[in-house]
Every structure is written in structure tokens, then in C-alpha cells.
Amino acid sequence: MDNINSVWKIATDKIQLKVPEKSFKVWFSKLNLKEIKDGVANIECQNSFIVDYIQNNYLNTVRNALQDASGEPIDINFSIIQKLEDDDISPIFEYTKETDNTDKKQTSNLNKKYLFSNFVVGSSNRLAHAASIAVVEKPGMIYNPLFIFGGVGLGKTHLLQAIGNAIEDKNKGYSVVYLSSETFLGELIESIKNGSSDKFRKKYRDKDVLIIDDIQFISGKKGTQEEFFHTFNSLHQANKQIILASDRHPRDIENLEERLVSRFEGGMVADIGVPDIELKTAILNKKCEEKNITFDKDIINFISENFGSNVRELEGILTKIEAIQNSLQKKLGFSEIQDILGIQIKKTIKRIKPQDVINTICEKFGISIKEIRGERRTNKVVMPRQVAMYLLRVDLNLPYTDVASLLKRKDHTTVMYAVDKIEKMINDDYALKNQIYEIRSSLQ
Ligand code: ADP
Ligand code: MG
């Protein structure tokens, strides 16, 4: 025992030399080396948040110090002293009873430009929109939490903010707050550093409506998940409304604790999909109206038929055309606009080569090129093969026969079948949708 204590004393002295004083106090003062056994040092710690932080920032410092102090190579294992019960609302930090009203009047972070009145509804976002309206009608009562998910630029943030704005307008005195999960994490870390965790906790557990955007970023962050779990429970039990958005379904967020997955699924989960041509046209018209610009109908049609796997892209195109028109001081005609945008289309298609698509898919699904082009029909290879056919056909616009020969299929009807199948599957297979989204992103 004595020996272990002195090893720890030497090690912490060494760590102290390497770490700023304030940080040392925050992160290391409550650690304790319990034992070193079979080359593994078991370090006890108060909570998983501190473990996360040390693992991400100081693991090598700790390991080196312990190796020096003990004279042997060492692996580190952290254990938490007080394991919290699953549904226990006890906080990670000690909670002092001191009350503090300074945060009562803090801002909601809402942006007044995101409203229901400028959100265009279509088939891909109808459910999410309807659920949002229900939440505004009766905050905390109908869908709690409301969890909205979908790809980038499809309007999640817009809806979240619109809900917040509408609730604030309708219910004077309601405290609403909007933040991203990264801000939540950042403030949590700050509060630990400053010893102001009570204040942090109170700030969010006191809200009537808590809106957290991009919640997927808490993936893998155990300490944040734990703190958020308690925040969630305390609000939920008081019937306070919680609204979350993510780029994927709760079930598809990797390294998210099961108890959070089930909480997130416990209210309403609504997805926002890729807009169809009709919705894209309506959005373009609305945006033109807002910007006070007009385009001929065939230009709008051309844009919505050829662009806009997300709404942000559509906005980008409008802004681009507007900028060119302003700099040339004239209105562009259809063919000029087609030219400008046409060049863009060719560029993206040219940049992505069929072989890149195949390589990326093989990498993503963990199979070889030989396998994807081979004869086997096991699940492991069939799905990636079909996804490859789908992307080569849909994104690269290759003829069916070319796709068939790239994947060594004898018959191009196999390709037609695969494209059709994946197209249908994407609609309700979130995991697949997500995989395809990731493949597309890495190809860009
Ligand atoms: P996400 O959070 O899903 O990535 P955003 O909410 O930031 O997407 O939306 C991207 C842009 O597209 C924003 O400027 C938003 O106002 C606009 N937008 C998205 N969907 C719609 C819609 N249905 N109607 C009007 N604007 C939309
Ligand atoms: Mg967003």
C-alpha cells in the first residue's frame, strides 16, 4: 500500500510539472491510484466526465509519469468510484443549495429569421412540421421529446428555431433556450474548470423549453451523456418540453448510451427527407419572393430538376445567380444561367470517377474489389454491390450497361433491379440512408 501511495505521489508530482496549475487542480486532485497489477494501473475517479477528459487530453502524460515513477511499462485503466444508478437523478457534481438568479434572464439564442411563416411544407418534411406545430400548441404535453432527424441542409435547425420562436411569442415569460450539443459540452467543461457546475446545471434544468441541435455530437462523450441524461430527466419529469435534432435516427448514433436512445425514442421521432421537385420549386419561389428577385418559370424548373439534394444548395444557387446578375448589372437569361450552372454539373460529375465510387463503397463496407465484382451472393457482398450500382447510375449518370460491366455483371437488368431496390429501401431504412449519405460525403 505504502508503495502504491509513493508511486502515485511521484507520478502526480511529475504530472503537476507538465499541466497548468488550474487544470491540475480540476482534473487530477481527486484521482487516486488504487493498484498496479499485471502492468495495468487502476486509477479511481469521481465521475466519467473527468475520465473522458483525461483520456482525451492527458492520457500520455499520466502514462509516462506512472512509468517513470514505477519503473515499468504501464497501461491505464480508470474506474469510477460511485457508479450512479441508471435512473438516479443524482448529479455528477456536488450540488450546493445556493440559489442564483443571475442566469434567469439569459438569452434564448433564437434567431428571428427562422419562422414557421417562411418554412415551406412538402411531403418530405410534413410529419416533422406537423409534430413541431403540435409542440407549439402544447409544450411538454404531446410529444416529449420531439426528435427531428435528417441530412444536412434539410431544415432541421430552421424548424427547431421556429418552434422556439413561436413558443416564446405565444407564451410570454416562458424561458426557452436553443443551443447545439457542442455548446452544451463546452459549457460543461468550462463549468467544471471554474467550479461553477451548480450554475451550469441550474441554467438548463430551469428551462421551460430546452432545444438542442446536432445532438449526434454527444456520440462517444460519456461524461456529457451522463450530465445530459440528468438534465433530460429533470426537465421531462417536470413536463418541460425538450426538442432535439440530429443528422441520424437515435438508434444510428454510434456510442450513445442505450438509456439515452430509449429516452430519445420515447416521444416523437420525425425525419426530414430530401425535397422532391415540387417542394424544391415551392422553396425556390418563396426564397425569390423574400429576396425580391424574379426568375422565369423555366429557370426555376431547371434548378429544381437538376439541383438541390438539400435546401442549402438551392439557396446557394440563388445567391450565386443573384451575385452574378448584380456584378453584370443585368438580368441573366435561361441559357446563360444554364451555362453557369451546367458548368457546375459537369465539374462534379467529372471529378468523381466510377472507380472512386467502387473503392469508397468497398472501404466503407469492408469488402475487396474482387468480392464486389465477384460471383458470391452473400449478404455481406450483395448489399454493397447494389449500392454501387445505384450510385454509379444515379449520381454518375452512367448507362445501365456500363454499370453492369464495371461490376462484372452479365446482364444490365441486374443493375435496373438493384437501382430500383435501393431506391425503395432508402425510404425506410435509416441505416442504409445514412451509409449512402456518408459515401456521398466522402466522394465529395
Ligand atoms: P439543417 O439544420 O437540417 O442542416 P437548416 O435548417 O440549416 O438545415 O436549413 C438550411 C437552409 O435551408 C436554411 O437557410 C433554411 O432556412 C433553409 N430551409 C430548409 N428547409 C426549408 C423549408 N422547408 N422552407 C424554407 N427554407 C428552408
Ligand atoms: Mg442544422
Side-chain angles (χ1 to χ4, degrees):
M1 256 308 134
D2 269 0
N3 184 31
I4 203 81
N5 284 342
S6 59
V7 168
W8 187 232
K9 172 87 182 57
I10 295 168
T12 47
D13 284 350
K14 284 181 184 293
I15 295 170
Q16 200 160 10
L17 293 174
K18 300 235 159 98
V19 176
E21 197 186 320
K22 210 170 154 195
S23 306
F24 181 83
K25 228 176 133 200
V26 171
W27 304 112
F28 294 94
S29 61
K30 297 211 171 134
L31 297 190
N32 181 38
L33 177 64
K34 195 152 173 264
E35 58 173 6
I36 298 179
K37 207 176 154 193
D38 305 329
V40 179
N42 190 352
I43 298 177
E44 285 181 331
C45 180
Q46 245 87 359
N47 66 60
S48 58
F49 189 84
I50 294 180
V51 172
D52 278 1
Y53 196 87
I54 292 177
Q55 277 182 329
N56 290 331
N57 298 281
Y58 294 117
L59 191 60
N60 279 333
T61 313
V62 176
R63 189 186 296 124
N64 292 340
L66 270 171
Q67 281 174 359
D68 285 354
S70 68
E72 54 175 316
I74 271 172
D75 274 334
I76 312 277
N77 176 47
F78 289 98
S79 55
I80 315 286
I81 302 170
Q82 297 149 306
K83 182 96 189 73
L84 295 172
E85 282 307 306
D86 207 23
D87 278 45
D88 182 359
I89 307 264
S90 62
I92 326 180
F93 318 101
E94 284 152 41
Y95 197 112
T96 55
K97 277 271 172 284
E98 176 198 355
T99 48
D100 178 355
N101 288 325
T102 48
D103 273 335
K104 255 273 169 310
K105 274 268 155 279
Q106 55 127 7
T107 60
S108 63
N109 305 324
L110 288 169
N111 184 336
K112 290 283 175 209
K113 85 173 196 201
Y114 295 118
L115 301 168
F116 281 108
S117 57
N118 60 8
F119 187 84
V120 186
V121 184
S123 57
S124 53
N125 60 24
R126 196 176 308 281
L127 175 67
H129 177 261
S132 303
I133 296 283
V135 162
V136 173
E137 295 294 321
K138 286 197 161 53
M141 304 304 281
I142 306 177
Y143 301 130
N144 204 14
L146 170 61
F147 190 104
I148 296 177
F149 76 101
V152 180
L154 296 178
K156 301 181 297 292
T157 297
H158 190 138
L159 265 185
L160 254 51
Q161 297 252 4
I163 299 173
N165 281 319
I167 293 181
E168 246 186 7
D169 281 354
K170 249 181 88 174
N171 309 277
K172 295 283 169 248
Y174 255 53
S175 59
V176 178
V177 68
Y178 167 93
L179 71 160
S180 77
S181 66
E182 286 166 306
T183 309
F184 186 86
L185 168 67
E187 289 188 12
L188 179 58
I189 293 178
E190 266 314 292
S191 76
I192 295 175
K193 278 191 196 156
N194 304 333
S196 58
S197 17
D198 297 352
K199 211 163 137 188
F200 168 81
R201 186 162 305 116
K202 198 166 178 321
K203 178 169 167 186
Y204 292 113
R205 294 185 190 181
D206 260 7
K207 295 295 163 202
D208 296 306
V209 180
L210 175 64
I211 307 175
I212 300 194
D213 208 344
D214 292 317
I215 193 76
Q216 74 272 6
F217 290 131
I218 67 171
S219 150
K221 310 215 168 65
K222 272 177 87 180
T224 312
Q225 290 185 23
E226 181 164 338
E227 182 60 21
F228 183 63
F229 178 74
H230 297 303
T231 305
F232 185 104
N233 281 346
S234 119
L235 289 167
H236 196 261
Q237 280 167 3
N239 288 329
K240 306 295 190 185
Q241 180 70 48
I242 300 154
I243 306 154
L244 306 167
S246 156
D247 68 350
R248 59 199 77 176
H249 192 282
R251 263 180 278 134
D252 298 326
I253 302 176
E254 286 159 24
N255 301 318
L256 179 65
E257 289 178 33
E258 187 50 42
R259 58 182 183 170
L260 279 175
V261 176
S262 70
R263 292 289 185 295
F264 291 174
E265 287 185 312
M268 161 67 104
V269 179
D271 86 315
I272 301 192
V274 175
D276 57 14
I277 292 185
E278 211 183 331
L279 178 57
K280 286 194 279 185
T281 309
I283 291 175
L284 284 168
N285 285 328
K286 181 90 190 169
K287 302 277 169 191
C288 287
E289 190 188 305
E290 279 169 16
K291 287 171 178 280
N292 218 349
I293 46 175
T294 49
F295 288 117
D296 291 344
K297 221 174 144 208
D298 46 357
I299 293 176
I300 297 285
N301 289 344
F302 174 74
I303 299 174
S304 46
E305 272 163 26
N306 290 288
F307 297 92
S309 47
N310 73 55
V311 181
R312 198 169 289 141
E313 188 192 358
L314 291 181
E315 290 182 333
I317 288 173
L318 284 186
T319 310
K320 182 174 176 179
I321 299 176
E322 203 189 0
I324 295 176
Q325 289 193 151
N326 285 345
S327 72
L328 296 176
Q329 304 253 351
K330 68 165 200 151
K331 227 178 143 186
L332 296 173
F334 183 34
S335 65
E336 287 165 310
I337 287 178
Q338 233 176 348
D339 260 3
I340 295 168
L341 300 176
I343 292 164
Q344 238 181 22
I345 305 178
K346 277 180 214 134
K347 256 196 205 149
T348 35
I349 291 181
K350 228 171 81 191
R351 218 179 42 224
I352 302 171
K353 299 192 188 72
Q355 202 49 52
D356 295 338
V357 175
I358 297 173
N359 290 344
T360 307
I361 290 173
C362 286
E363 206 170 291
K364 175 101 197 133
F365 287 93
I367 62 170
S368 69
I369 309 268
K370 210 170 156 190
E371 281 173 306
I372 204 169
R373 303 180 77 214
E375 286 306 317
R376 285 178 56 199
R377 283 161 200 258
T378 51
N379 259 344
K380 189 179 157 225
V381 292
V382 168
M383 180 58 83
R385 195 180 284 147
Q386 290 180 332
V387 169
M389 294 182 195
Y390 172 79
L391 289 177
L392 290 169
R393 171 69 195 153
V394 173
D395 290 18
L396 269 58
N397 239 330
L398 296 180
Y400 287 118
T401 46
D402 289 11
V403 177
S405 75
L406 275 164
L407 289 161
K408 278 184 101 175
R409 301 294 111 184
K410 288 190 200 77
D411 192 349
H412 74 279
T413 54
T414 318
V415 182
M416 293 168 101
Y417 168 80
V419 172
D420 197 46
K421 183 179 152 200
I422 299 293
E423 217 148 52
K424 288 195 180 109
M425 275 181 78
I426 288 179
N427 284 327
D428 27 49
D429 186 335
Y430 304 126
L432 177 65
K433 196 174 187 173
N434 210 26
Q435 275 167 329
I436 291 183
Y437 168 75
E438 280 170 5
I439 291 164
R440 281 185 170 136
S441 313
S442 53
L443 281 168
Q444 293 300 325

